[in-house]
Amino acid sequence: MTLATDSLLLAGKDLQVELRTRAALVGTLTLGAGALVMVGLAAGPDLGRLRELAPALTAIAILFASLAMADRLDAIDRENEALEGLWLSLADRRAIYLGKALALTALQSVLGFSLWLLALVLLDVPVGPVLLWLPALVVLGASSAAAATALISALVGGADQRTVLLPVVMLPMLVPTLLAIVNGSRALIDQDPGAAVGWVLVLVAETALFVGLGLLAYEAVGAPE
Amino acid sequence: VRVLAGRSGLVVGLIVAATVAFGLVGVPADRVQGDAQRIMYVHVPAAWLAYLAFFVTFLGSVGYLLRRDLRFDRLAAASAELGLLLTGAAIASGALWGKVTWGIWWDWDPRLTTTAVMFVVYAGYVLLRMSIVERVRRARLAAVLGIIGFANVPIVHFSVLWWRGLHQPPSVLADDRADPARDAARQRDRVHGRLCMAAPPSGRDRAWSRRGPGTPGVGEVTDAPFVIAAYVVVLGSLVAYAVSLRRRASSAAADDRAIKRRLDDG
């Protein structure tokens, strides 16, 4: 089997596990929604201010919920020595990385889209025709974050303080992604698609960079203990 | 050479003391920034040594992945710790200088922000090492992070050229160093211009008020506590690190002796 087929199969496996239990998605959605309500409370109740801060607040909520989701998916693989089985059975182990990145992209897109819907209501974001491009931006942001998270969660997977280490190592790597999502969505809210194009390119470049790094480094970092 | 090597600590201490004395007393106050400029004599070396330390970490990480020799890993780890310490010292001394000249401790300027990101990346590197007990696995994972993390160093260095901000452009590797008079004039213009035009409102007001008619220059407002604090931060953190290294070394030696005793006892 090729790398692409293996990756798609593994992504399908992760999605199937999630569809059966819905544990990661429901948990992280609740976490993200809770975070949105909390930051809304902390920064509100001035609606003008909330509207101004909406892209940043939503992006932060999505980011933290995505980290929790990556942690959960990684934990599932490490339970019952499932990762060892995968590691031994695959000819090209980079498929584990690509499969994880694909599954995370799908799940984080659902998460991001749902949280943006909530933000439209809670933070009073004005809806215009250009905002219809937001789902595309959400998917690109999710792919960029997923490509990095799949690598970093493998890197810190065997560490004692994994839950703390993942955000500590991950968040600085996601600075360009965060800036691109915040500024891109702000441009879409302001009905200025031209200003979003540059940020879309940043997301594409960040995705390509982390996929490249992941393919290069996964064999070194992903090996089970 | 052997005498010097044997007393390297003393020699380094004397050189540092002489440099500090020269920076604090021997060099005249800057015409524009006054005594606050003296902070640069510790801030800039701390930043450059941090770059160098992270470069050594990068080399050690590449070396480990190529040779799988744990000596490369130890080199990378030691250098990352030192780089992290020096980055923290550079940030703290820069904040002290910023308070005196810009009127604010911190600004979300590209150089400051990217330096803070670099600090967090290497804090993560050190934390990762602390969280993995098994040596070979720790070395392998840390080496990957040491290579990825080094991407921050050029971003930090070139941030002042790529994006507009409050922080001045590079002076050590500036193109105009061939002409010291022009360099000095440009630096002066940059400081004036940045202080008065680019600073955020609070900093700008303070800069204007200090440069207004009949008021002293920026650096002439009592800067001594800030200068002393910057020297204490940079040098004090290095001394504290040296002391902690010595403690760790003696504790490791005591552990080794205890293990040897236990093995000898059978």
Side-chain angles (χ1 to χ4, degrees):
Chain A
M1 283 200 280
T2 65
L3 178 65
T5 325
D6 282 350
S7 308
L8 286 172
L9 275 175
L10 288 171
K13 182 257 314 170
D14 278 345
L15 291 175
Q16 203 167 18
V17 169
E18 184 47 36
L19 277 176
R20 278 184 193 155
T21 62
R22 293 189 185 84
L25 203 53
V26 171
T28 51
L29 256 175
T30 314
L31 173 69
L36 260 184
V37 172
M38 293 303 282
V39 294
L41 273 173
D46 178 3
L47 278 180
R49 188 159 174 236
L50 283 179
R51 221 174 288 140
E52 181 69 24
L53 293 174
L57 300 181
T58 315
I60 296 278
I62 293 173
L63 210 58
F64 275 95
S66 303
L67 285 173
M69 177 175 283
D71 192 36
R72 172 73 195 138
L73 287 197
D74 196 59
I76 289 172
D77 268 357
R78 285 175 195 278
E79 279 167 14
N80 304 320
E81 298 179 346
L83 187 63
E84 279 86 339
L86 278 177
W87 195 262
L88 293 173
S89 61
L90 286 168
D92 192 342
R93 286 143 184 172
R94 295 176 305 169
I96 303 175
Y97 165 74
L98 278 182
K100 188 69 66 195
L102 284 171
L104 274 173
T105 302
L107 292 171
Q108 289 182 0
S109 298
V110 174
L111 179 73
F113 190 63
S114 312
L115 288 178
W116 260 110
L117 280 179
L118 191 64
L120 293 183
V121 178
L122 287 179
L123 307 179
D124 194 35
V125 178
V127 180
V130 177
L131 203 60
L132 292 175
W133 287 101
L134 191 63
L137 191 80
V138 167
V139 173
L140 275 175
S143 67
S144 169
T149 315
L151 176 65
I152 302 297
S153 63
L155 185 81
V156 303
D160 293 341
Q161 307 176 49
R162 192 178 80 190
T163 317
V164 177
L165 259 177
L166 183 63
V168 168
V169 178
M170 192 65 249
L171 290 177
M173 308 273 177
L174 287 181
V175 168
T177 303
L178 178 72
L179 289 178
I181 293 172
V182 171
N183 289 300
S185 51
R186 180 170 288 140
L188 294 181
I189 290 169
D190 293 343
Q191 304 294 308
D192 183 8
V197 173
W199 296 111
V200 165
L201 293 177
V202 171
L203 288 176
V204 172
E206 176 94 342
T207 308
L209 175 75
F210 272 105
V211 169
L213 270 177
L215 291 175
L216 273 174
Y218 189 76
E219 286 264 359
V221 303
E225 289 161 75
Chain B
V1 173
R2 198 174 291 168
V3 171
L4 283 177
R7 299 176 192 280
S8 57
L10 182 66
V11 172
V12 170
L14 284 174
I15 292 171
V16 170
T19 315
V20 168
F22 193 59
L24 283 175
V25 185
V27 178
D30 185 79
R31 210 174 128 192
V32 178
Q33 297 181 40
D35 285 328
Q37 164 65 19
R38 298 180 198 280
I39 295 175
M40 288 300 116
Y41 304 139
V42 285
H43 170 75
V44 177
W48 273 92
L49 284 175
Y51 287 173
L52 179 65
F54 294 144
F55 181 59
V56 173
T57 298
F58 171 77
L59 290 182
S61 302
V62 172
Y64 176 77
L65 287 181
L66 290 177
R67 297 282 175 89
R68 305 282 164 166
D69 183 338
L70 282 171
R71 279 177 298 183
F72 285 112
D73 176 58
R74 286 197 288 272
L75 175 72
S79 202
E81 275 185 13
L82 194 58
L84 184 67
L85 182 86
L86 288 165
T87 307
I91 290 173
S93 56
L96 287 160
W97 182 87
K99 185 64 181 168
V100 179
T101 50
W102 295 342
I104 43 173
W105 298 104
W106 183 263
D107 182 72
W108 290 100
D109 160 275
R111 168 61 68 85
L112 274 65
T113 311
T114 51
T115 306
V117 169
M118 182 170 79
F119 182 83
V120 179
V121 166
Y122 281 95
Y125 175 91
V126 172
L127 203 60
L128 178 72
R129 297 193 66 91
M130 288 164 66
S131 307
I132 301 173
V133 179
E134 205 266 301
R135 268 192 203 177
V136 174
R137 182 172 172 79
R138 179 176 64 204
R140 194 177 68 237
L141 298 183
V144 172
L145 192 56
I147 293 169
I148 295 175
F150 185 70
N152 281 280
V153 173
I155 294 175
V156 171
H157 182 68
F158 290 109
S159 60
V160 284
L161 299 174
W162 292 343
W163 300 290
R164 276 174 299 171
L166 199 55
H167 198 283
Q168 60 269 44
S171 42
V172 177
L173 294 179
D175 292 339
D176 49 8
R177 285 189 57 74
D179 184 345
R182 193 178 55 188
D183 182 36
R186 275 185 66 168
Q187 287 293 341
R188 206 161 44 236
D189 288 350
R190 279 174 189 158
V191 172
H192 278 176
R194 300 271 164 150
L195 284 176
C196 298
M197 302 308 293
S202 58
R204 194 185 310 151
D205 293 345
R206 289 194 57 175
W208 272 115
S209 67
R210 288 175 178 188
R211 296 299 301 162
T215 58
V218 170
E220 291 163 42
V221 179
T222 172
D223 298 337
F226 290 87
V227 176
I228 291 166
Y231 276 73
V232 168
V233 163
V234 176
L235 299 170
S237 56
L238 284 172
V239 170
Y241 182 61
V243 170
S244 90
L245 277 183
R246 209 179 167 83
R247 273 192 192 156
R248 275 151 65 180
S250 53
S251 145
D255 287 348
D256 285 350
R257 278 197 300 274
I259 291 168
K260 193 167 180 298
R261 249 199 321 272
R262 254 180 259 148
L263 287 173
D264 289 346
D265 291 347

